[in-house]
């Protein structure tokens, strides 16, 4: 017997044309995945990972336990040191996923009496972590720093503590819009009010910087950030995540982040893949450059085809065309798929009602002909 109240919720999703289902495997041209550099399909990284495991004599299939028990194999230390050096951070602590990293950080770092001020479009994993925190949390309007300044002043005025600890939270690339914050502005606010800034760089790794190091390093502001979250399931094409910060922060997370403490560690193979993907990122700059060129070409073509007003302004690999209505945006995605292009429709309630969109992801391996064709088709289906 399935609970009636759950059946009602499913039926409501069906009626709203918003019921999620696992998609079939598609051989269409990829404008949907987060594999921005093609690393997920890289034979080079696959072979290097295998050889690295042979060279280090690791033939285990699993970690055997949490890192605090039996799962802390030496590949962790090698990889965390490499990640920290690459990102110019004091320390890097690996988590099993970006979701685990955000849940772990936000549930344990902000304390009772602290305040969390977060961009309203922050990822669900950030908001879920904040819900587990004992700190008070308020969202500010997306990339609106006057609203953020207003909130900071408000919490300082209403706090029982004359100098409350305030955490400001944003992303370097927002996953649904593809746009970016004004970091000079938000850092200025953080410094003015002695607030601590946390930035999720999930969709910036592999995309920004000459070696794909992310947006903050690209503009040389990494030392202004209390904690950075980098994830490996996008630009690096593998799995897992890391929180970058001070050695003291690393020690605190090891002791208090429940999603780190109470889970089996990543396998040696998963860690080796992360290590080899970072090495490939450092030495293979062609893919990063090709991605950057394709993003520029995409933006030029949408302007030429009169599509620019549909799109959220973005210089990242995520390009979102706002097409209100679940049924309409699903219909256009289906037509694109029938013409050989895999583009995903993002429906409400994943995004607010009226903000449904086609989320087009650009990759280093997309050709200019493919980019032109998918945009021409989109123009035909939208304007017909």
């Amino acid at each position: 017997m399935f609970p009636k109240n759950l059946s009602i919720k499913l039926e409501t999703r069906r009626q709203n044309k918003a019921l999620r289902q696992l998609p079939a495997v598609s051989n269409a041209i990829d404008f949907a995945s987060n594999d921005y550099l093609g690393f997920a399909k890289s034979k080079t990284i696959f072979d290097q990972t295998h050889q690295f495991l042979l060279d280090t004599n690791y033939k285990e299939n699993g970690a055997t336990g949490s890192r605090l028990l039996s799962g802390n194999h030496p590949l962790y230390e090698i990889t965390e040191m490499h990640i920290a050096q690459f990102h110019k951070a004091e320390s890097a602590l690996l988590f099993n996923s970006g979701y685990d990293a955000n849940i772990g950080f936000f549930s344990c770092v902000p304390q009772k009496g602290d305040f969390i001020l977060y961009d309203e479009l922050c990822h669900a994993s950030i908001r879920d972590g904040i819900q587990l925190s004992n700190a008070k949390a308020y969202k500010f309007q997306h990339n609106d720093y006057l609203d953020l300044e207003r909130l900071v002043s408000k919490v300082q005025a209403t706090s029982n503590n004359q100098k409350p600890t305030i955490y400001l939270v944003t992303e370097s690339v927002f996953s649904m819009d593809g746009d970016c914050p004004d970091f000079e502005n938000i850092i200025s606010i953080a410094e003015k009010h002695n607030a601590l800034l946390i930035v999720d760089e999930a969709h910036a790794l592999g995309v920004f910087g000459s070696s794909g190091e992310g947006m903050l390093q690209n503009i040389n502001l990494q030392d202004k950030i209390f904690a950075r979250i980098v994830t490996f399931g996008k630009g690096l094409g593998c799995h897992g995540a890391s929180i970058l910060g001070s050695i003291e922060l690393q020690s605190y997370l090891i002791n208090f982040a429940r999603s780190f403490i109470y889970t089996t560690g990543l396998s040696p193979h998963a860690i080796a893949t992360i290590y080899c993907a970072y090495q490939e990122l450092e030495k293979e700059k062609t893919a990063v450059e090709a991605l950057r060129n394709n993003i520029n070409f995409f933006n030029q073509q949408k302007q030429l085809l009169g599509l620019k007003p549909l799109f959220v302004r973005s210089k990242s690999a995520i390009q979102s065309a706002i097409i209100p209505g679940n049924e309409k945006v699903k219909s256009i995605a289906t037509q694109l798929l029938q013409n050989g292009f895999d583009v995903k429709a993002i429906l409400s309630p994943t995004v607010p009602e009226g903000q449904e969109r086609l989320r087009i992801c650009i990759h280093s391996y997309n050709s200019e002909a493919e980019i032109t064709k998918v945009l021409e088709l989109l123009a035909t289906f939208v304007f017909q």
Side-chain angles (χ1 to χ4, degrees), residues 215-234:
M215 179 171 289
L216 289 163
Q217 281 174 263
N218 187 44
I219 54 180
N220 199 32
L221 292 175
Q222 69 276 357
D223 294 336
K224 304 283 187 179
I225 313 301
F226 177 68
R228 288 176 279 162
I229 295 93
V230 290
T231 66
F232 311 136
K234 284 84 175 173

Side-chain angles (χ1 to χ4, degrees), residues 174-217:
F174 286 88
S175 60
M176 287 296 112
D177 283 24
D179 59 348
C180 307
D182 178 348
F183 277 110
E184 296 281 358
N185 210 329
I186 197 169
I187 286 171
S188 175
I189 294 171
E191 291 180 339
K192 177 182 175 182
H193 297 283
N194 293 315
L196 300 172
L197 185 55
I198 299 102
V199 182
D200 188 318
E201 290 232 81
H203 291 277
L205 180 60
V207 178
F208 291 93
S210 60
S211 295
E213 59 269 28
M215 179 171 289
L216 289 163
Q217 281 174 263

Side-chain angles (χ1 to χ4, degrees), residues 254-275:
I254 290 169
N255 280 275
F256 294 101
R258 294 171 69 85
S259 62
F260 176 87
I261 298 166
Y262 298 109
T263 190
T264 300
L266 289 166
S267 69
H269 188 276
I271 300 297
T273 305
I274 294 166
Y275 179 77

Side-chain angles (χ1 to χ4, degrees), residues 281-300:
L281 190 61
E282 288 180 83
K283 66 184 180 184
E284 181 48 73
K285 293 181 170 42
T286 306
V288 176
E289 185 177 351
L291 173 61
R292 190 173 298 116
N293 290 339
N294 279 346
I295 293 169
N296 291 336
F297 183 77
F298 185 96
N299 280 321
Q300 291 165 5

